[in-house]
Amino acid sequence: MEDTDQLPFVLENAPLKQDAAGHVFPDRYSIKEVGTDRTLTCFEAPNLQVTIKAGLTVTASAARKAPPGTIYLDGVAQAEPFLDHEKKVYNLDHHEGCVRTFTLATCEQALIMCVKGFDLRDREWKIFANEPDLDTILAIWILLNHQRINNRDAIHRRSLFALVRLEGIIDAIGLELRELSGLPADLLQKLMRIIDRLRMEELELKKGGEWSKTDFLAYTVGVLRKLDQFLIKLGELDDFKGIEELARIELTNNRIAVVVASDLGIYELEPHLIKLYGNRLGWVALRRGEKDYTLRQMDLFMPVNLEDVYQRLNFMDPAVKGRINVSRWGGSGDIGGSPRNLGTRLLPGEIVSACRDVIEKRSDIRHVKRFLSSAVFSMLIVIAAIAMGQNWESARWLGRETLGEVFRSPVVGFHTALLFFTTIMLGIVALRRPWQFGLMLPAGKDWWRLLPMAILCGFTGDMLVPDKMMFAADPVAAWTIALVLIPLSLELLFRSLVHGMMAQLATIQDSESRWFFSGPTIGSALLYAATIGFQMTMMADSPMAFLTNGILIKYIAVAAIFGLAAGMIRERSHSILPAWLFHAAAVATSLFAFGPA
C-alpha cells in the first residue's frame, strides 16, 4: 500500500526538473497559438484544450446552450454546478446557485467525476477558466490526466486525494478550517508546505501587483509540471513518447483523422496512438519533416481506403496540382505518404480536411447541394449578362459613335458581360486553388482523343455562332467573336467556374486515371445545355415558335453532348485552355461547313 505519510516528504524536497531517483520528467504540456487564440494542451490528452482568460464569464443560459464538449471551471459560468451528460456540457463550480460552505470545490468535483469513470477520449473538449488559482489548476491537471487517475500504478492516488481534499477545504471555507480535512497533523503540515510551494509564485506576483499582467497559460504550465513531479510515480514517464497533435477532424461513426508529429516511426507509434485515441482513430498522418508525411489507415473497416485519400490530396496539393511527371501522394491502401521530391505544401488542417472530404463526398445530399449552389451562381451570372446585353450601348459608353455595328450587337454585349462577371467570380473563388478551376497549363496528351467529338459537334451546325449580319458588317471582328469571345466566355463559366465549384467534393478524372463521366462534368454539361437553349430561344425572332418547332431540342442535345466532351477535356488536361480551343474548333467547323446562321 502506498505510504501517504512518507511520500509527500520525499517529493516536497525533490528538484523540479529531476526526481530523487534521477528520472527526468518530460515536458508534457504545450501552449498553441491559432490566430489570436492561445490554448494549453497535454500531449497525453491532445483532444483537450484549455483556455484561461482573465475575467472570462458566460451567462447561465449561454452556459446551458454551449457546444457539446464544453467544461467550465470555477466561476466562468454564472450558474449553479451542473452535469449535462446528454449535451456533454459541464459546469464544475462552487460560486453561483449553491451554498458554498456545503459544496465541494472545483478540483474535488473534477476528481470525483474522473474517479467515477468520466472518459474524455470520445470527442474534443474545450475547458474554460478565468483565473489559475490552485483549485482551478488542480482541476485542470486532473482532467488532462484523467486516464492516469484510475491507474494505481501510475500516480500516487492517495497523495492526490489528500492534496485535493485539503485544497478543496481551504478554497471553499477558508484556511482556518483546514483541520476539517481530517488529515493527521504531520501529513497536514507536509501537504501545507507542498501547497505553499505550488502557490509561491502566485503569492509573489500578487504581492508585487503583477498578477493581472501575468501570462496565465504559461504560469499554469509551470504549476502543472510541478504537480507531475509531486503526483506521478518515479519512472512512470520513462517510456513517455512526445506526440504532438497538429490537427484533428471528426469523420463518421465516431472516427477521427489526426495529424501528429513525433520522432518515432509510424509502426513504433501505433501502440501510443491507440493509448491516446482508443479505437476512434481512422487515419493518421505522421509528420516526418517540415513537408513530409506518412499516412496510415488505423481502422481497416473504414468505408474507403487511402487510395481515395491520395486522389483527394493530389487534387488539393499545390505541390502536385494533379499534374503528371511530378511526385504525388501515393502508396498502398493502408499506408503511404506525401510527394517524395519536394514534399507537400498542404498544412496539417488541410490534410485532415481532405480525409473528411473523402468521407463526405459519398453523400448524395452533398452532391445535390453543390450542384444547386453552382446552378444558382451560373444563373445569376447569365441573368446579369442578359440584362447587360439588352441594355448594351457600347458606343455611348465608350464615347465612340463610329464604333462598328458588330460591337453594338446585343450578342457581343451578352458574351462580354458573361466573360466579365465570370472573371470577377473566378478572381474571388479561385484565388487559393487556381488549378481546381483549370487555371493552369495543359498536362498529358490523351485529351487530344476527344478532338473528333468536337469536330463532330461542329458538323451538326448547331454550335452557337454570330449571325450573317455580323459577318457581312465586319468579317474579322465576327470571326474574333466566334472563335474567341463566345467560346471563352462559355468555357470559363461552365468548365472553369461551375466545374471547379462542383469538383470541391467530387472524384474527377486526371491525366493518368481511367475514363469516366464525373459528377462535375455531367452537372456543368446540363447547365451549359440549359443556358444554350435559353439563349437560342431569346435570340430567336419568334421565341414561342422556336420553342414549338423542335429545333430547340436539337440545340440542347448537341450542347449537352459537347458539354460532356468539353468537361472530359478539361479534366484530363487539368486546364481550361484545351476546352476553349476545342470549342473554337467546333465553331470553326460549323462555320466552314454551313456558314453563319
Side-chain angles (χ1 to χ4, degrees), residues 418-553:
L418 199 68
L419 181 62
F420 174 77
F421 292 128
T422 302
T423 303
I424 293 297
M425 285 302 302
L426 281 172
I428 297 173
V429 303
L431 186 62
R432 292 187 64 247
R433 294 180 182 173
W435 64 90
Q436 179 176 327
F437 297 85
L439 303 180
M440 59 180 288
L441 294 176
K445 296 179 180 179
D446 59 0
W447 47 271
W448 281 101
R449 299 178 187 177
L450 292 168
L451 179 59
M453 181 61 70
I455 300 300
L456 184 61
C457 289
F459 273 119
T460 65
D462 294 318
M463 297 299 295
L464 193 64
V465 297
D467 58 26
K468 294 179 180 179
M469 294 178 56
M470 296 179 68
F471 277 93
D474 189 340
V476 174
W479 276 102
T480 302
I481 293 167
L483 301 181
V484 178
L485 179 60
I486 293 177
L488 182 60
S489 63
L490 292 171
E491 294 306 311
L492 275 179
L493 175 58
F494 294 103
R495 252 63 68 181
S496 180
L497 180 61
V498 172
H499 185 284
M501 292 176 63
M502 295 182 64
Q504 180 66 33
L505 294 176
T507 298
I508 65 173
Q509 298 181 79
D510 61 45
S511 55
E512 297 180 338
S513 73
R514 61 183 177 86
W515 292 73
F516 64 94
F517 289 114
S518 70
T521 290
I522 296 172
S524 60
L526 291 175
L527 294 176
Y528 169 70
T531 300
I532 293 299
F534 179 71
Q535 185 179 2
M536 295 301 295
T537 303
M538 297 299 295
M539 290 172 60
D541 295 333
S542 177
M544 292 303 298
F546 187 78
L547 283 172
T548 58
N549 63 10
I551 298 177
L552 177 61
I553 297 177

Side-chain angles (χ1 to χ4, degrees), residues 32 43 46-47 124 243-248 258-261 277:
K32 295 184 178 180
F43 292 153
N47 60 316
E124 288 190 84
I243 303 174
E244 181 182 3
E245 182 181 291
L246 304 178
R248 161 199 297 244
V258 299
V259 179
V260 298
Y277 299 104

Side-chain angles (χ1 to χ4, degrees), residues 138-152:
L138 275 171
I140 292 171
W141 189 93
I142 290 166
L143 294 173
L144 294 180
N145 291 274
H146 65 280
Q147 293 187 65
R148 294 182 177 273
I149 296 298
N150 292 317
N151 184 354
R152 298 177 184 274

